[in-house]
């Protein structure tokens, strides 16, 4: 049997360094957190060669007394906790007492510090874990820590280092997180003698603007929720601002940057239906709760935490955001300058930009007029939009006042002998829109007149300016919420087929379809096993009467077949509802009658999230009168 030995403190520190000090950014994070715990109001970070040559952190905090400096570089020595009970009420960023010792074991470390009452500073230097004692030095109140030649005595770790630019990007991210958590602290960051960031004390919106630009800062939505022992506050971005990854989801717990999958999932659920697939929301949120309600002693990096009541935190975050979104105008604001120049917006499709460019170019060629009593029924535009010359002039028509739909507009009705129920056939089964009731009051800012162009967009005049509406996206949202309400109430219309239709599937597809028979039944589709790899469709959603049952079943099965993970029933049901609403809605290229346009606009307010389709695309773009005036050089 091998001999059991007690490891030396130097080896122990190197092992700890492997967990705590992964790269130069880890050093910066740990030392900046110590500066914040010391009450610093200004922290200057100087980097050379991506942190491999030099990392210098200078602060104006409380400092370290000369006789305490040897303990500052000792393993498991800290001023932040005293006994085991303190681990359950940690109120500082650091508490483990191993970061500085770990750094000192793999670098050439020098600490120069002075408390306010001392006449001079003191200094200690540690090379590879061995120090030469404390000596007097000159310096202002506060602490300056220099880390040179990181990993000089661990060449294996040096091989895993990236380029200076890559390491610098990680350091910049560490400073960004600290600066967002403490906006009242002045931060500076320099690399190779060039200042990269200078962040004077400010409030959180100003700091966000300084770090990420004014455009993002202007799109922020303030949120706040106060419950006993749990305070949530901060900002989330309008759905028009999103990212292809979750790196801009900044969550802080009692001032500590954290990563928590549960909270990120709650954030994604709050934005469900407001963002395109593959896009992630942006947030800057702070949670404050008693230290006894959380456990921060999970991992040496202190980025992961455990909540005593994680479900409550999840529910509060999700509920606060959804409530805020329902009371916020999330209609997308258009950018005429970008559209006219063809500049794509983040996450936009090139086709959408091309269509908008054509629309703006066409609109700028027209001469509009305000019709008087003698002008009723006259053409509002001098010529037709691009591609519509063969159809002749488009007719301007006034939309009836918007209001509540007729009683039972979305209610269940018995199927007729020739097709789907009247309630469904009017606006779903034939992909047309049910007529609206005239005479209801008009909401403030509602469209007063509209026309269809390209057989895909509706252009409406509003009190604010001009609104361009995607007819398919808007109808899809209206249908989705109507169908979802019926599914939850168990009242979705289904028709029995006179002759059950057999559908041949692959073995795995047939198995998936039969496994989810109950789920398909909620959607109005009843299937049964027929033998081999064939299934029978005996009932079918009434709203999809114009689509082949086999085609729809195969589309549904594609949603059921998800590789790599078990799909939750709730998410699967939501995806199927998206698909059904998409297939039932009016399409690009469908010419709508004036009555159908009126009905579509009148039913818009029935959907809580009418500003986005179920897939997250905006249903409308608003261009203000000021934007239009600027384009026509009137301002």
């Amino acid at each position: 049997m091998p001999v059991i030995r007690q490891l030396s403190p130097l080896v122990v520190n190197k092992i700890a360094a492997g967990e705590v000090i992964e790269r130069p950014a880890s050093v910066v994070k740990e030392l900046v957190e110590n500066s914040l715990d010391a009450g610093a109001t200004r922290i200057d970070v100087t980097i050379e060669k991506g942190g491999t040559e030099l990392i210098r952190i200078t602060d104006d905090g409380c400092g370290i007394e000369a006789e305490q400096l040897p303990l500052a570089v000792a393993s498991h020595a800290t001023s932040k906790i005293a006994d085991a009970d303190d681990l359950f009420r940690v109120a500082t960023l650091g508490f483990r007492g191993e970061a500085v010792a770990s750094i000192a074991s793999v670098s050439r470390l020098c600490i120069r510090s002075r408390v306010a009452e001392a006449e001079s500073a003191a200094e200690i230097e540690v090379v590879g874990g061995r120090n030469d004692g404390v000596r007097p030095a000159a310096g202002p109140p506060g602490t300056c820590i220099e880390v040179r030649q990181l990993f000089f005595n661990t060449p294996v770790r040096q091989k895993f280092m990236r380029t200076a630019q890559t390491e610098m990007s990680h350091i910049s991210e560490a400073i960004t997180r600290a600066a967002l958590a403490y906006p009242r602290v002045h931060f500076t960051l320099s690399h190779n003698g060039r200042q990269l960031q200078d962040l004077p004390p400010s409030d959180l919106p100003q700091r966000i603007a300084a770090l990420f630009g004014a455009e993002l800062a202007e799109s922020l939505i303030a949120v706040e929720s106060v419950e006993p022992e749990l305070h949530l506050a901060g900002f989330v971005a309008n759905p028009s601002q999103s990212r292809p990854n979750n790196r801009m989801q900044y969550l802080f717990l009692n001032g500590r940057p954290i990563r928590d999958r549960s909270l990120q999932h709650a954030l994604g659920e709050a934005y469900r239906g407001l963002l395109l697939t593959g896009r992630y929301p942006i947030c800057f949120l702070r949670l404050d709760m008693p230290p006894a309600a959380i456990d921060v002693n999970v991992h040496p990096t202190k980025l992961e935490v455990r909540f005593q009541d994680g479900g409550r935190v999840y529910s509060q975050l999700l509920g606060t955001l959804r409530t805020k979104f329902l009371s916020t105008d999330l209609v997308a604001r258009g950018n005429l300058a970008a559209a006219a120049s063809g500049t794509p917006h983040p996450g936009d499709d090139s086709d959408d930009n091309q269509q908008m460019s054509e629309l703006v170019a066409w609109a700028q060629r027209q001469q509009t007029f305000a019709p008087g009593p003698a002008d009723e029924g006259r053409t509002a535009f001098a010529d037709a939009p691009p591609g519509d010359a063969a159809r002749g002039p488009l007719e301007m028509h006034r939309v009836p006042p918007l209001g509540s739909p007729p009683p039972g507009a979305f209610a269940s009705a018995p199927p007729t002998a020739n097709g789907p129920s009247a309630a469904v056939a009017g606006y779903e089964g034939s992909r047309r829109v049910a007529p609206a009731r005239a005479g209801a009051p008009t909401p403030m800012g509602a469209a007063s007149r509209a026309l269809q162009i390209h057989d895909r967009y509706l252009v409406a005049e509003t009190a604010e300016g001009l609104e361009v509406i995607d007819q398919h996206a808007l109808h899809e949202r209206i249908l989705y919420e109507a169908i979802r309400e019926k599914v939850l109430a168990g009242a979705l219309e289904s028709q029995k087929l006179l002759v059950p239709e057999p559908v041949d599937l692959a073995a795995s597809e047939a198995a998936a379809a039969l496994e989810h028979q109950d789920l398909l039944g909620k959607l109005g589709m009843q299937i049964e096993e027929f033998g081999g790899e064939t299934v029978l469709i005996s009932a079918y959603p009434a709203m999809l009467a114009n689509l082949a049952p086999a085609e729809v079943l195969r589309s549904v099965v594609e949603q059921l077949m998800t590789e790599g993970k078990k799909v939750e029933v709730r998410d699967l049901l939501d995806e199927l509802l998206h698909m059904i609403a998409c297939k039932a809605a009016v399409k690009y290229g469908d010419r709508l009658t004036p009555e159908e346009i009126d009905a579509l606009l009148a039913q818009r307010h029935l959907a809580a999230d009418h500003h986005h389709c179920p897939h997250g695309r905006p249903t409308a773009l608003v261009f203000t009168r000021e934007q239009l005036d600027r384009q026509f050089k009137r301002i």
Side-chain angles (χ1 to χ4, degrees), residues 39-237:
T41 60
R42 180 185 177 107
I43 300 175
D44 298 306
V45 181
T46 302
I47 307 294
E48 290 183 9
K49 295 184 179 180
T52 58
E53 186 64 27
L54 171 68
I55 298 173
R56 181 188 296 121
I57 311 291
T58 306
D59 66 58
D60 60 355
C62 64
I64 307 172
E65 294 181 357
E67 58 270 18
Q68 292 276 295
L69 284 176
L71 284 175
V73 297
S75 177
H76 301 297
T78 180
S79 63
K80 299 167 187 178
I81 61 173
D83 53 42
D85 292 338
D86 290 342
L87 289 174
F88 302 100
R89 48 176 179 265
V90 175
T92 55
L93 297 175
F95 62 90
R96 300 176 65 94
E98 61 182 1
V100 177
S102 298
I103 296 169
S105 68
V106 293
S107 68
R108 303 180 186 274
L109 175 72
C110 179
I111 301 178
R112 185 183 308 108
S113 187
R114 175 185 169 188
V115 296
E117 299 81 10
E119 295 181 356
S120 63
E123 182 180 81
I124 187 171
E125 187 172 356
V126 186
V127 179
R130 296 179 175 85
N131 72 79
D132 297 329
V134 179
R135 56 180 179 264
T143 301
C144 175
I145 300 182
E146 291 185 357
V147 179
R148 295 183 180 274
Q149 297 179 0
L150 185 63
F151 302 131
F152 80 97
N153 57 351
T154 52
V156 174
R157 181 57 63 90
Q158 282 184 326
K159 294 179 181 179
F160 288 92
M161 297 285 288
R162 304 292 183 179
T163 63
Q165 291 79 7
T166 300
E167 297 299 340
M168 196 59 212
S169 69
H170 289 285
I171 293 174
S172 179
E173 177 64 18
I175 297 298
T176 295
R177 290 184 178 276
L180 290 172
Y182 293 87
R184 298 298 180 185
V185 177
H186 190 161
F187 288 88
T188 66
L189 174 63
S190 301
H191 184 223
N192 294 339
R194 185 169 65 93
Q195 189 173 77
L196 303 181
Q197 292 180 356
D198 185 6
L199 305 170
S202 62
D203 57 19
L204 183 54
Q206 291 175 329
R207 181 140 292 181
I208 293 172
L211 289 169
F212 304 107
E215 182 180 358
L216 175 60
E218 291 171 358
S219 74
L220 295 178
I221 301 171
V223 296
E224 185 172 14
S225 174
V226 181
E227 291 189 4
E229 298 188 339
L230 180 55
H231 182 199
L232 168 66
F235 298 88
V236 294

Side-chain angles (χ1 to χ4, degrees), residues 470-483 577-586 600 607 612-617 619:
D470 184 325
Q471 65 184 35
H472 172 74
L474 177 58
H475 197 209
E476 185 180 357
R477 167 57 72 176
I478 294 171
L479 293 183
Y480 166 76
E481 296 206 7
I483 297 167
L577 293 180
H578 290 175
M579 186 200 69
I580 290 177
C582 183
K583 289 184 176 295
V586 294
L600 187 59
H612 287 78
C613 80
H615 297 98
R617 291 184 181 274
T619 61

Side-chain angles (χ1 to χ4, degrees), residues 14 31 65 406 415 491 502 515 586:
K14 283 193 175 183
L31 297 183
E65 294 181 357
E515 180 183 353
V586 294

Side-chain angles (χ1 to χ4, degrees), residues 332-499:
R333 284 339 189 222
N335 187 333
L336 280 174
S341 64
T343 303
H345 297 286
D348 285 352
D349 291 333
S350 58
D351 290 344
D352 295 339
N353 289 322
Q354 182 179 358
Q355 291 293 339
M356 186 55 61
S357 301
E358 292 179 5
L359 170 65
V360 173
W362 168 70
Q364 290 175 337
R365 294 198 301 269
Q366 311 309 312
Q367 292 184 351
T368 60
F369 69 96
D375 295 322
E376 292 295 333
R378 289 181 54 186
T379 303
F381 294 94
D383 59 11
D388 282 0
R391 269 203 294 268
L394 292 177
E395 183 178 341
M396 175 74 76
H397 49 82
R398 189 170 299 277
V399 175
L402 305 185
S404 301
F410 291 135
S412 173
T416 62
N418 297 324
S421 66
V424 176
Y427 70 94
E428 292 170 341
S430 61
R431 292 186 182 174
R432 312 309 285 180
V433 186
R437 181 184 61 171
T442 303
M444 183 64 65
S448 60
R449 56 183 68 149
L451 58 87
Q452 184 185 34
I453 64 170
H454 294 301
D455 288 348
R456 61 179 64 186
Y457 297 118
L458 308 179
V459 181
E461 175 189 349
T462 68
E464 187 178 2
L466 174 71
E467 186 173 21
V468 182
I469 301 167
D470 184 325
Q471 65 184 35
H472 172 74
L474 177 58
H475 197 209
E476 185 180 357
R477 167 57 72 176
I478 294 171
L479 293 183
Y480 166 76
E481 296 206 7
I483 297 167
R484 183 173 180 272
E485 183 178 340
K486 289 184 177 183
V487 169
L488 294 178
L492 188 66
E493 295 88 350
S494 179
Q495 284 186 296
K496 288 284 187 181
L497 299 182
L498 293 177
V499 178

Side-chain angles (χ1 to χ4, degrees), residues 323-345:
T323 301
K324 185 66 177 181
F325 290 158
L326 290 175
S327 61
T328 303
D329 179 15
L330 298 180
V331 176
R333 284 339 189 222
N335 187 333
L336 280 174
S341 64
T343 303
H345 297 286

